[in-house]
Amino acid sequence: MKMNFAVAATAAACALALGASAAVAAPMYIDTHQAGLDIAPYTGIGDADTKTGIFTEFGFNQLLATSVYDMTDGTIAGSFYDTNIASDLASLGVPTSGTSLAGTNTVTLKNPTAGQVNIDTLSPTAPGFGTDAEGFSQTWGLNIFYHLNGVMNLASGPVYTGGTWEVVLTDPMGMVAGGSRVVLSGILTGSNLQAANLDLFLQITYAEAGFLYLQDSSGNWNSAKAGDTLSLDTNVNPPIPTAAELLLVGTNAIRQSTLDGSITVTPATVPEPASLALFGIGLTGLLAARRRKS
């Protein structure tokens, strides 16, 4: 079927307009009042507005990652998963130690410490967040837990295909109303590996209302919600583990490594009115062309 050139041009312009608003990481802040954080008894860590300074990244240092490769076929190629969940590690028999697959060294596997699950390094730390932290990482903080699935290709490295994650509001000082709880959770939607740089793409399926606020492209602040996305940027070196890093435990080869990196959040995009109008024009033109053809 031939399409009128003007209609085709309109449809193409419509597609470009809808895809023109590229996703970008959002400025963020946390509202401690809405989160039920009672900072009043602690002097010098909060102010009247109950909001942290604006930051753009959650950061992590020395996050302990445990990668589990299925060795039933004698190779680490194929399915694997990454986890830092206590029950997952316990089912694997971690902590433990033994001689590596290379036979040249000892590999020791352990449970992560409190500092190896948190995302308490926020950026920028000054002047905004650093001077207005509302007690963050002093009297309360955030931990991340995950179970991510993937496929290991011995030529190109790991590809992550799915899994779940959650961010937990921690409460070491007994300040959180109702105690520690999950404030964000979701699924993994994909990954990208370039050399040793690994990006993981995560989608929010649950966000506690009134906790984390994101700024949209129009400058408005909105509570994070289902559909918003996270990008986790880290380095895995080497992406394909060596035999000296792996310990055989049952039918699994296990590697533990520490990761540094950052997490940014992008609000779910909503087509602007002008884009929606252009899309409507394109649909109208296509329908008119179809009627003329009939």
Side-chain angles (χ1 to χ4, degrees), residues 140-182:
W140 61 277
L142 297 172
N143 288 348
I144 188 167
F145 299 99
Y146 56 85
H147 182 116
L148 307 178
N149 305 311
V151 176
M152 173 60 73
N153 184 306
L154 296 183
S156 56
V159 175
Y160 289 79
T161 57
T164 58
W165 58 273
E166 62 183 22
V167 173
V168 177
L169 177 62
T170 62
D171 185 25
M173 300 291 288
M175 295 170 59
V176 179
S180 298
R181 62 185 184 273
V182 175

Side-chain angles (χ1 to χ4, degrees), residues 123-148:
S123 177
T125 56
F129 187 85
T131 58
D132 189 10
E134 302 289 348
F136 186 79
S137 79
Q138 301 172 57
T139 55
W140 61 277
L142 297 172
N143 288 348
I144 188 167
F145 299 99
Y146 56 85
H147 182 116
L148 307 178

